[in-house]
Amino acid sequence: AGTAISGTQTAIALTSTAEFGTQTAMAGTAISGTQTAIALTSTASAGTQTAISSTLTAGAPTSTPTTIPTPAGPYVLVDVIQDALGLNQTSLVNVSLMNVPPEGYTAAEFHCIYDPAILEVGNIAPAELFGSDPASALNGPQNGSFIFAIAGSQGRKATSSGTAFTFTVRGMSAGASNVQCTARVSVGQGALEAIAYIPDSVTVFDASASPTPTQALPAYVAGQVIASKPVTIQLFDAGNALVVSQTANADGTFNIPVGAGTYTIVASAEGFLKAQGFVTLSSGSTFSMQVVNLPAGDIDGNSVIDQFDALTIGMNYNLSAPTAADLNNDGAINVLDLELLAANYRMSGALAWQ
Ligand SMILES: [Ca+2]
Ligand SMILES: [Ca+2]
């Protein structure tokens, strides 16, 4: 493959593949200016794979570094376990050293970067690769970057491929972020050697932002619920799952958009018995509920208006809280609230609402 976007360019790709279903991958990308990109691949007969890519760029624009799909030598592998996250959801990230040579590494330094607007990093902790009880040092995370250094204690080394350390990423805002760790390794000779790396990426989605297009809201349910307190209208689907919860206007009127279907509709206000009914809404239409007056007096919310509710008025007499006991919403719990309660004394259950 060779992709040329502008300028004088040459892209050449050669492939030879033998009999046993082997694969070839190559890439040459030229972005601008006078460029040549050549990729050569030859594949052997028994299922081994080779991937070589070279990118040459001339002129001012520079290309981003190409990450080789599966390096032959040692490399760092970042693996975000759950690569699609909702807001505030967290995933573990494993950072592993692969193709560790038999003589082993005594220490490694990882430099990890990510988009701090999309992700929050935490819980950076050593794993088992450098043996039990390794020494580790952390710098950051700050501004989408941290350095984690780890060294085997008591002469322990990393002698095989495995996870060197882990951390967590949490979705902060919708978008996509690379999670990339580069590494330098030590074999105990006082020198550091950079190795290859394979990054991962995470997509954060906002589940609350338009789960389905607005065309899914073609029907309306409207009405008026009278109470001296703010009224909440709730719609539940056939499985009793809450679909919509909305506060009615100050005068109790409401006009709620919702998908066509059959719902249980419930009107409630603090200190009042509920009203409940069923509505079947068809696409593009408005269903109007009867005007309903909620009965005042169920201060403890157990669906019965009785002496226990009156008790709350007595215990909080001339106070303003609990607000459920202030049935007329005038800021004082007193005989005016008791009077409202008395008018509905012994009423119970939810009012049938059509
Ligand atoms: Ca009650
Ligand atoms: Ca009152």
Side-chain angles (χ1 to χ4, degrees):
T3 307
I5 294 169
S6 70
T8 306
Q9 297 152 357
T10 313
I12 302 171
L14 296 175
T15 307
S16 70
T17 308
E19 306 168 350
F20 287 102
T22 52
Q23 295 176 11
T24 315
M26 69 195 115
T29 306
I31 294 171
S32 71
T34 305
Q35 299 154 353
T36 310
I38 302 173
L40 296 178
T41 305
S42 68
T43 312
S45 57
T48 52
Q49 295 181 12
T50 316
I52 302 171
S53 71
S54 81
T55 302
L56 302 176
T57 307
T62 55
S63 65
T64 53
T66 303
T67 308
I68 299 168
T70 316
Y75 64 98
V76 189
L77 178 67
V78 172
D79 183 18
V80 181
I81 304 297
Q82 190 180 339
D83 55 15
L85 292 175
L87 288 181
N88 287 318
Q89 275 190 329
T90 299
S91 173
L92 188 70
V93 181
N94 288 327
V95 181
S96 302
L97 289 176
M98 307 301 287
N99 294 341
V100 173
E103 63 269 27
Y105 297 134
T106 53
E109 166 204 277
F110 299 88
H111 183 197
C112 300
I113 58 173
Y114 56 94
D115 186 341
I118 309 272
L119 297 175
E120 181 183 77
V121 161
N123 305 310
I124 301 164
E128 296 295 313
L129 185 63
F130 285 84
S132 59
D133 203 25
S136 65
L138 174 65
N139 184 265
Q142 192 172 23
N143 299 326
S145 168
F146 68 89
I147 294 170
F148 183 77
I150 184 169
S153 64
Q154 315 284 335
R156 297 183 188 98
K157 295 200 265 187
T159 54
S160 63
S161 298
T163 302
F165 74 104
T166 61
F167 60 94
T168 57
V169 288
R170 189 164 71 92
M172 302 297 288
S173 63
S177 171
N178 273 339
V179 180
Q180 172 184 303
C181 294
T182 55
R184 296 193 299 169
V185 293
S186 167
V187 295
Q189 306 289 326
L192 289 172
E193 178 202 352
I195 60 174
Y197 60 94
I198 297 181
D200 204 349
S201 62
V202 188
T203 303
V204 178
F205 57 91
D206 184 353
S208 66
S210 58
T212 45
T214 48
Q215 70 197 25
L217 301 174
Y220 289 83
V221 58
Q224 184 173 21
V225 178
I226 296 167
S228 46
K229 289 290 196 64
V231 171
T232 301
I233 307 295
Q234 293 178 308
L235 294 173
F236 298 85
D237 68 13
N240 244 1
L242 180 64
V243 178
V244 177
S245 180
Q246 189 168 315
T247 304
N249 299 319
D251 64 357
T253 57
F254 62 90
N255 188 17
I256 300 171
V258 69
T262 298
Y263 301 92
T264 301
I265 183 167
V266 177
S268 59
E270 195 183 44
F272 289 70
L273 290 178
K274 295 178 166 76
Q276 180 173 327
F278 294 99
V279 289
T280 298
L281 306 177
S282 55
S283 189
S285 70
T286 295
F287 187 95
S288 292
M289 304 294 296
Q290 289 176 342
V291 176
V292 66
N293 276 280
L294 297 184
D298 184 18
I299 293 167
D300 60 10
N302 71 343
S303 295
V304 183
I305 298 172
D306 59 16
Q307 186 58 32
F308 290 104
D309 300 303
L311 195 67
T312 305
I313 291 178
M315 288 170 61
N316 300 284
Y317 207 84
N318 280 340
L319 302 179
S320 59
T323 54
D326 182 14
L327 295 171
N328 68 352
N329 211 28
D330 67 352
I333 296 167
N334 58 28
V335 70
L336 296 178
D337 304 304
L338 185 69
E339 194 173 44
L340 290 175
L341 180 155
N344 302 312
Y345 207 65
R346 302 291 180 203
M347 280 183 70
S348 64
L351 232 58
W353 192 17
Q354 293 177 314

